[in-house]
Amino acid sequence: MTLVQMQPHPAGSATRTVVSAMDAPGPQVWDDMTVEVALSVMAGAHARHLLVIDEDGRCTGLITQAQLTGVRDSSAYTDRVRLRDILGDAGPFPSPVTTMVEAEHAMRYLQLGSLPVVDEHGCAVGVLTLSR
């Protein structure tokens, strides 16, 4: 692994963890939910994203309204498309003890605005969002 040279941060920021900056997890939905139902849940919850979980309650990803409407508006869309079909391989996710420097670097590298934070069992405990 190659280390990435980063600009200096104020004292203490290198050890600050994501738990200090994450938001509550918000609405969680099963990965077998259809796109239309997920959009309805999102609208009803007035949420900007949904955390997607598998049958074991482990977080498999985070999906936004823009992603859902993009899929729904595509020519390949059918009413049988499930969230698991559009998420792909989203992990691994940061844990609450991941440093902010590490998480921010990963999010910028992967071009992600938001990222689930999971515990040692893979269950979502929060969401980390980059400020633009």
Side-chain angles (χ1 to χ4, degrees):
M1 173 182 261
T2 305
L3 293 176
V4 176
Q5 186 69 25
M6 300 186 74
Q7 294 182 358
H9 293 279
S13 69
T15 58
R16 188 171 148 230
T17 62
V18 298
V19 77
S20 64
M22 68 183 190
D23 296 322
Q28 297 183 27
V29 295
W30 300 109
D31 63 357
D32 66 346
M33 183 176 282
T34 64
V35 170
E36 287 297 329
V37 174
L39 282 166
S40 294
V41 169
M42 191 175 282
H46 303 288
R48 292 181 287 172
H49 61 261
L50 297 172
L51 287 169
V52 182
I53 59 173
D54 65 14
E55 64 276 356
D56 296 321
R58 292 187 190 106
C59 183
T60 60
L62 179 144
I63 196 146
T64 66
Q65 183 175 11
Q67 289 172 300
L68 290 172
T69 54
V71 168
R72 184 192 60 198
D73 295 344
S74 76
S75 60
Y77 175 75
T78 71
D79 61 356
R80 293 183 178 169
V81 176
R82 308 272 180 206
L83 297 181
R84 73 170 69 99
D85 300 330
I86 59 177
L87 272 180
D89 184 22
F93 303 120
S95 76
V97 297
T98 302
T99 67
M100 284 299 299
V101 171
E102 293 170 320
E104 181 180 0
H105 177 72
M107 291 174 75
R108 291 196 190 283
Y109 178 77
L110 298 170
Q111 299 178 0
L112 299 172
S114 297
L115 194 60
V117 178
V118 299
D119 65 14
E120 64 275 8
H121 305 290
C123 299
V125 294
V127 173
L128 186 63
T129 303
L130 279 181
S131 54
R132 301 273 172 195

